[in-house]
Amino acid sequence: MPPRGIRPADKFDDDDYPAYTMGRAAEMLGATPAFLRALGEHRLITPLRSEGGHRRYSRYQLRIAGRARELVDSGIPIEAACRIIILEDQLEEAQRINDELRGHNQPETSA
């Protein structure tokens, strides 16, 4: 039984819920399980583990893996692709923080 306040249907909308097995995730990406393991080795994504120890991937992780697949398919080595994605994520976060700080530091205008 799920914890109080969490309905089973909520998991369908949760991007972080580890719903996909390695085989299914690889199939969805058009990749191999070895590709997914390599992404884990390069610390791009860290799948959760089932009680039996099997890797489980979320939709969010599959989007990241899909981006890695695009870069690798364009000829970029997997190590570089992982680093690029990490840097893209860091840049996006820095821009978000910068925008947030600018919003808080704007002079107030009186009407």
Side-chain angles (χ1 to χ4, degrees):
M1 183 131 210
R4 284 185 183 246
I6 297 177
R7 299 177 324 197
D10 291 340
K11 294 177 184 176
F12 293 116
D13 296 325
D14 185 353
D15 272 356
D16 295 318
Y17 182 73
Y20 303 96
T21 63
M22 176 180 274
R24 182 70 178 126
E27 180 184 322
M28 291 171 69
L29 293 168
T32 64
F35 177 78
L36 289 170
R37 282 192 294 275
L39 296 180
E41 290 168 10
H42 293 291
R43 298 187 178 155
L44 182 62
I45 57 175
T46 303
L48 293 172
R49 298 282 181 150
S50 69
E51 289 182 20
H54 300 282
R55 290 175 178 88
R56 304 285 295 192
Y57 296 88
S58 68
R59 286 188 295 190
Y60 174 73
Q61 290 171 325
L62 293 182
R63 281 195 298 274
I64 293 170
R67 174 72 175 125
R69 173 79 199 266
E70 290 172 2
L71 292 171
V72 169
D73 286 351
S74 72
I76 296 172
I78 195 164
E79 299 86 6
C82 291
R83 186 67 183 138
I84 287 168
I85 294 167
I86 290 167
L87 289 170
E88 287 173 343
D89 186 57
Q90 290 172 345
L91 176 60
E92 184 179 313
E93 178 67 8
Q95 288 173 331
R96 185 195 63 75
I97 291 169
N98 192 23
D99 289 345
E100 187 177 293
L101 291 173
R102 283 186 178 169
H104 287 111
N105 293 329
Q106 294 288 329
E108 292 186 27
T109 57
S110 55

